[in-house]
């Protein structure tokens, strides 16, 4: 099969003048090389496409693929992670990972939490502050945790993200609104242990890849898995795979969220334990990082002797099974789009 590969290469955006923080979610050549090798090892023919602009150019020129392995994060808007899958969907070309609706939903943390509550799944109480007037109306119990409403890779999460009084809340909300030009999510801070659950598969066939605890070392930003801690994880973070009944409970919770939201093929669910000993879902990551060494999914796999190529194979097999069940790509659709 001819497998296209869509991605945002960080070095390209840096060369165009974007900042390190703006491009923090984007991928390195090592990630693209590793995914391409995994696809080729399955006997398929990978073809690099690139970002949204490159994809649009290819489609206009008439290029098509049997499947696209999509890890493009996008640059602009709440629906930026949904843009490449939406374009592919419009052309009847299937792709890996979740559909545009789920990717758009999950990037917006507050919208995701509203759906989680509708599913009766635990998530910390929260409020959204679009303006400073909104901040004044927040009456959640301190301490609170504050972050941009639609960012990944812990962008905007720093040592000041845990606030303990109204003065700190005002200061951090104003800073994030100014820096990220988007609303701020304010939620009750869960003070206990933090985990991320890796998942592969879709629907009833989705299963937990592992449950990994995030332990902060001396010298790290304490209490939170901040952007600085994540970027310098070798010196600041120790990861530990957990097993037993605790892992089973967290896996069931993560899978309930994964299936409830309609996520597909692979990703992560982040969970933290509150002061009452009960877990709360922090975020769903349906487009999780796939760096062969640094990403949480790869670290989780390495603990279990699973090579990166095997992780790519599991994701691909989930997507290919869906494609096999989907309606074949229609030549009629190409004619309509060309009209």
């Amino acid at each position: 099969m001819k497998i296209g590969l869509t991605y945002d290469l960080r070095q390209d955006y840096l060369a165009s003048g974007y900042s390190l923080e703006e491009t923090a979610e984007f991928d390195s050549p090592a990630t693209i090389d590793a995914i391409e090798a995994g696809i080729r090892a399955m006997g398929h023919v990978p073809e690099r496409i690139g970002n949204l602009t490159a994809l649009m150019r290819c489609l206009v020129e008439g290029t098509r693929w049997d499947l696209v392995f999509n890890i493009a994060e996008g640059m602009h808007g709440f629906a930026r992670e949904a843009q490449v899958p939406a374009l592919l969907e419009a052309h009847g070309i299937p792709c890996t990972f979740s559909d545009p609706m789920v990717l758009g939903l999950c990037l917006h943390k507050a919208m995701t939490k509203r759906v989680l509550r509708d599913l009766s799944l635990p998530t910390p109480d929260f409020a959204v502050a679009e303006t400073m007037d909104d901040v004044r109306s927040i009456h959640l119990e301190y301490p609170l945790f504050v972050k941009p409403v639609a960012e990944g890779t812990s962008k905007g999460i720093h040592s000041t993200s845990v606030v303990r009084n109204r003065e700190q809340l005002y200061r951090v909300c104003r800073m994030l609104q100014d820096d990220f030009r988007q609303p701020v999510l304010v939620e009750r801070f869960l003070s206990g242990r933090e985990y991320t659950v890796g998942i592969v598969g879709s629907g009833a066939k989705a299963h937990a890849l592992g449950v990994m605890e995030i332990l902060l070392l001396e010298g790290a930003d304490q209490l939170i898995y901040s952007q600085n801690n994540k970027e310098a994880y070798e010196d600041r973070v120790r990861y530990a795979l957990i097993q037993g009944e605790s892992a089973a409970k967290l896996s069931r919770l993560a899978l309930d969220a994964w299936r409830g939201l309609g996520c597909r093929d692979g990703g992560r669910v982040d969970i933290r334990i509150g002061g009452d000993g009960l877990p709360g879902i922090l975020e769903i990551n349906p487009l999780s990082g796939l760096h062969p060494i640094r990403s949480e999914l790869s670290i989780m796999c390495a603990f279990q002797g699973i090579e990166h190529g095997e992780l790519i194979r599991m994701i691909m097999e989930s997507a290919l099974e869906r494609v096999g069940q989907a309606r074949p790509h229609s030549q009629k659709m190409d004619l309509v789009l060309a009209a």
Side-chain angles (χ1 to χ4, degrees):
M1 295 180 70
K2 182 181 174 184
I3 310 296
L5 181 52
T6 47
Y7 51 86
D8 288 297
L9 200 57
R10 190 179 194 185
Q11 63 189 33
D12 291 345
Y13 288 86
L14 290 173
S16 297
Y18 288 98
S19 68
L20 287 171
E21 184 163 66
E22 287 174 309
T23 61
E25 295 176 271
F26 294 168
D27 289 296
S28 68
T31 301
I32 312 306
D33 290 346
I35 294 172
E36 187 177 59
I39 294 171
R40 185 173 286 112
M42 294 179 68
H44 301 302
V45 179
E47 183 174 289
R48 298 192 182 199
I49 301 170
N51 63 11
L52 175 65
T53 302
L55 174 63
M56 290 190 289
R57 185 166 54 245
C58 289
L59 290 171
V60 168
E61 292 171 350
T63 307
R64 298 292 186 269
W65 308 268
D66 298 302
L67 177 80
V68 170
F69 196 104
N70 170 53
I71 56 168
E73 303 272 358
M75 175 56 80
H76 303 292
F78 290 148
R80 58 187 181 272
E81 291 186 355
Q83 291 164 350
V84 162
L87 189 56
L88 291 168
E89 189 174 80
H91 286 76
I93 301 171
C95 66
T96 57
F97 301 113
S98 297
D99 65 23
M101 182 195 71
V102 172
L103 291 176
L105 171 68
C106 290
L107 185 60
H108 197 294
K109 315 304 181 189
M111 294 296 183
T112 305
K113 289 164 73 71
R114 289 179 178 125
V115 176
L116 290 173
R117 288 194 308 198
D118 187 71
L119 292 166
S120 299
L121 296 174
T123 188
D125 292 339
F126 70 99
V128 178
E130 293 191 39
T131 67
M132 292 309 294
D133 285 340
D134 294 334
V135 178
R136 294 183 186 91
S137 68
I138 293 174
H139 297 290
L140 295 168
E141 182 179 353
Y142 291 93
L144 299 173
F145 187 72
V146 186
K147 61 183 176 183
V149 79
E151 295 295 341
T153 320
S154 295
K155 287 170 66 176
I157 298 177
H158 302 290
S159 57
T160 57
S161 296
V162 179
V163 301
R164 301 182 182 282
N165 55 53
R166 188 156 290 271
E167 180 182 351
Q168 292 176 355
L169 177 64
Y170 285 162
R171 184 170 63 250
V172 176
C173 284
R174 184 181 296 282
M175 177 186 68
L176 292 177
Q177 288 172 351
D178 290 345
D179 288 350
F180 289 89
R181 303 292 178 187
Q182 63 178 264
V184 172
L185 178 70
V186 180
E187 62 183 350
R188 191 165 57 85
F189 176 65
L190 302 184
S191 59
R193 299 162 78 172
E194 182 166 351
Y195 305 90
T196 188
V197 182
I199 294 176
V200 291
S202 309
K205 293 188 176 180
H207 64 275
L209 190 60
V211 181
M212 194 166 70
E213 183 172 4
I214 298 163
L215 300 160
L216 302 178
L217 304 177
E218 186 177 357
D221 294 335
Q222 292 303 302
L223 300 177
I224 55 171
Y225 193 31
S226 66
Q227 184 176 6
N228 289 336
N229 286 345
K230 182 171 285 193
E231 288 183 351
Y233 77 93
E234 299 95 332
D235 300 320
R236 291 170 170 242
V237 179
R238 182 169 70 84
Y239 300 104
L241 202 66
I242 70 164
Q243 297 177 332
E245 183 55 28
S246 294
K249 288 181 178 177
L250 292 170
S251 294
R252 286 195 292 271
L253 176 59
L255 285 168
D256 284 345
W258 186 260
R259 291 170 179 146
L261 287 160
C263 301
R264 307 188 311 204
D265 297 341
R268 296 178 9 250
V269 176
D270 297 339
I271 299 172
R272 189 154 181 156
I273 307 300
D276 54 5
L278 298 175
I281 298 170
L282 302 179
E283 295 185 8
I284 315 293
N285 301 278
L287 203 60
S288 183
L290 285 175
H291 187 282
I293 296 173
R294 298 180 60 85
S295 77
E296 286 90 347
L297 279 181
S298 298
I299 293 170
M300 192 180 297
C301 285
F303 275 131
Q304 303 174 84
I306 301 172
E307 295 184 352
H308 189 266
E310 177 65 10
L311 173 62
I312 299 303
R313 184 191 64 76
M314 288 188 281
I315 294 167
M316 281 286 293
E317 287 186 345
S318 173
L320 289 171
E321 184 173 3
R322 289 190 293 101
V323 172
Q325 295 173 349
R327 180 185 301 175
H329 175 62
S330 169
Q331 292 183 340
K332 181 179 179 181
M333 179 170 287
D334 276 345
L335 294 174
V336 171
L337 291 169

